[in-house]
Amino acid sequence: MKALVWHGKEDIRCDTVSDPEIEDARDAIIKVTSCAICGSDLHLFHNFIPAMEPGDIMGHEMMGEVVEVGSGINGALKKGDRIVVPFTILCGECDQCKRGNFSVCERSNRNKDMADKVFGHATAGLFGYTHLTGGYPGGQAEYLRVPFADKTHIKVPDSLTDEQALFLGDIFPTGWQAAVNCDIQPTDTVAIWGCGPVGQMAIRSAVLLGAKQVVAIDCIPERLSMAEAGGAITIHFETESVVERLNDLTTGKGPEKCIDAVGLESHVSMGQPDTLLDRAKQMVMLESDRPHVLREMIYVCQPGGIISIAGVYGGLVDKIPMGPAMNKSLTFRMGQTHVNRWTDDLVRRIEEGQIDPSFVITHTAKLEDGPDMYKVFRNKQDGCVKVVLKP
């Protein structure tokens, strides 16, 4: 089969690889009908996340048709079922899964010993996302093996198109969880840094959850326009002061809730000197991540407020103002998304017309065009916000 394969920093190729096979009774094989390039894939593209190996298949946003099931599926899936595959692999039986904490499933990371050493305790297995999370082949491919498939799936109603359903596997529940973590009240201002795909979903989630006003911060005109269309007040951080605008919009109090939809690769610019220092530290391996957004959120957030982190961080950050965070009584909520905790509600909202997640798609291409589309997405060329690939 054809698949997008990691060969090193900024080197993604469309290769011919072995077809996946059933390896366990709870496995299923799907024929991928749609997959997408995620912002967190760029962290792998840039080799900022450790434990990638040449030959690893990329991708953790995918859906398709079940073509084979293992003997232990016990009727949970059958051939011909149309499913979205969440990026988190869950057993459904461990203590964490029973609590709904699916992204920290205790059984699905097959490289648990390695992850224990790096994280202290292992997190769940993830598709297409480093050997620290199991080294599972990803879904930017013609076919995919789904472990624990009786639990690791989301059935797609016939009423939904691929484009409407695909993002149930990651960016829609990620944006939703980021907003839910804010405990949004009707009097709240919610400020969201980053208007990429997750930021766009967080904007619309905060609106659906009843925020008084939503403020979106970015520097890409097309993304700011999309945010504005979703109901946000926008701030272009290269031409305006984020601190001054947020204070103006909140009568000097600051936003009650702040969402980081950027993560470890904050934009580097002359107007943000800390990002230049972070980039220099990355180059000499004194720091792995650029946490400008995290610093700015701590500074501007209203005392007693909530910091919600949806953007992925990979390792070590520096110069985090913990003194202001502690003295302002800020609450931090973060984590990889517990996808299946939210999907029943989100499917209902799509079916009822409250939201159509396909709005975020700007580019659709063939799988073999994937290596070029990684660069288009990375460089934000041609107004690119979200790329969907069709194997």
Side-chain angles (χ1 to χ4, degrees):
M1 69 172 184
K2 296 291 186 182
L4 299 189
V5 176
W6 191 90
H7 286 273
K9 182 178 179 180
E10 299 181 9
D11 186 0
I12 305 290
R13 307 175 199 170
C14 187
D15 292 344
T16 299
V17 301
S18 299
D19 290 355
E21 297 179 349
I22 296 289
E23 299 177 15
D24 182 88
R26 293 178 69 183
D27 286 354
I29 306 294
I30 69 163
K31 176 179 173 57
V32 178
T33 56
S34 296
C35 56
I37 301 175
C38 184
S40 51
D41 286 329
L42 294 182
H43 304 328
L44 306 180
F45 183 73
H46 294 141
N47 202 25
F48 284 143
I49 304 289
M52 288 293 289
E53 296 180 4
D56 288 346
I57 297 174
M58 297 286 291
H60 58 268
E61 286 188 291
M62 54 273 174
M63 65 178 294
E65 180 183 332
V66 176
V67 294
E68 189 175 356
V69 296
S71 60
I73 295 296
N74 295 324
L77 288 174
K78 64 181 186 302
K79 291 182 182 180
D81 280 350
R82 191 161 154 255
I83 64 170
V84 170
V85 181
F87 76 95
T88 49
I89 302 170
L90 58 133
C91 75
E93 299 170 348
C94 69
D95 288 343
Q96 293 288 9
C97 283
K98 289 176 181 176
R99 298 185 189 115
N101 297 331
F102 302 120
S103 71
V104 288
C105 171
E106 296 170 319
R107 297 183 182 176
S108 61
N109 190 339
R110 60 186 181 181
N111 291 336
K112 182 179 185 302
D113 290 345
M114 180 194 300
D116 281 345
K117 291 176 183 177
V118 175
F119 295 147
H121 298 284
T123 58
L126 307 180
F127 288 101
Y129 217 80
T130 98
H131 291 262
L132 284 174
T133 55
Y136 289 96
Q140 291 170 2
E142 292 181 313
Y143 293 90
L144 174 72
R145 180 179 77 91
V146 183
F148 298 103
D150 54 324
K151 299 296 181 181
T152 304
H153 72 267
I154 303 158
K155 286 190 177 177
V156 179
D158 292 338
S159 59
L160 301 187
T161 65
D162 271 24
E163 287 71 20
Q164 289 175 303
L166 174 60
F167 304 132
L168 287 163
D170 183 0
I171 61 169
F172 188 13
T174 295
W176 183 261
Q177 179 171 297
V180 170
N181 280 347
C182 287
D183 187 23
I184 293 172
Q185 303 300 310
T187 55
D188 282 347
T189 293
V190 180
I192 299 171
W193 278 255
C195 294
V198 168
Q200 298 292 342
M201 297 298 174
I203 289 163
R204 284 150 180 84
S205 297
V207 171
L208 284 172
L209 289 169
K212 177 184 176 182
Q213 60 180 352
V214 178
V215 184
I217 302 152
D218 207 301
C219 67
I220 307 300
E222 294 86 357
R223 296 185 175 201
L224 289 169
S225 295
M226 186 177 284
E228 191 171 8
I233 301 165
T234 58
I235 299 175
H236 190 305
F237 67 76
E238 289 186 334
T239 61
E240 306 172 274
S241 166
V242 174
V243 176
E244 290 178 4
R245 280 292 311 281
L246 286 174
N247 280 334
D248 288 343
L249 290 166
T250 58
T251 63
K253 292 184 176 182
E256 289 89 351
K257 312 295 166 59
C258 297
I259 295 175
D260 177 354
V262 176
L264 67 89
E265 291 190 75
S266 285
H267 186 74
V268 179
S269 70
M270 295 298 292
Q272 300 167 330
D274 63 319
T275 65
L276 300 174
L277 182 59
D278 285 333
R279 187 70 189 99
K281 288 180 179 179
Q282 281 182 318
M283 293 173 71
V284 295
M285 300 184 71
L286 290 176
E287 186 178 22
S288 59
D289 302 6
R290 299 193 298 269
H292 167 79
V293 165
L294 189 54
R295 297 186 191 111
E296 191 163 70
M297 292 199 317
I298 291 170
Y299 186 77
V300 303
C301 191
Q302 185 176 133
I306 293 176
I307 302 280
S308 175
I309 304 173
V312 171
Y313 285 85
L316 302 176
V317 296
D318 197 6
K319 299 294 186 292
I320 298 300
M322 288 305 297
M326 181 269 174
N327 284 287
K328 291 168 70 176
S329 298
L330 301 183
T331 296
F332 286 73
R333 294 176 179 168
M334 65 192 86
Q336 296 282 8
T337 307
H338 308 304
V339 173
N340 292 65
R341 184 191 292 183
W342 314 111
T343 47
D344 286 349
D345 182 35
L346 298 182
V347 168
R348 176 184 62 81
R349 290 175 183 272
I350 297 172
E351 289 188 302
E352 291 179 355
Q354 295 183 34
I355 184 170
D356 181 347
S358 66
F359 77 89
V360 80
I361 300 170
T362 54
H363 291 68
T364 301
K366 298 177 181 178
L367 183 69
E368 51 264 40
D369 296 326
D372 289 334
M373 295 313 299
Y374 262 87
K375 295 173 184 177
V376 170
F377 183 47
R378 188 270 308 272
N379 296 330
K380 303 174 179 65
Q381 296 172 347
D382 190 30
C384 185
V385 177
K386 189 66 175 179
V387 178
V388 171
L389 301 173
K390 297 288 188 175

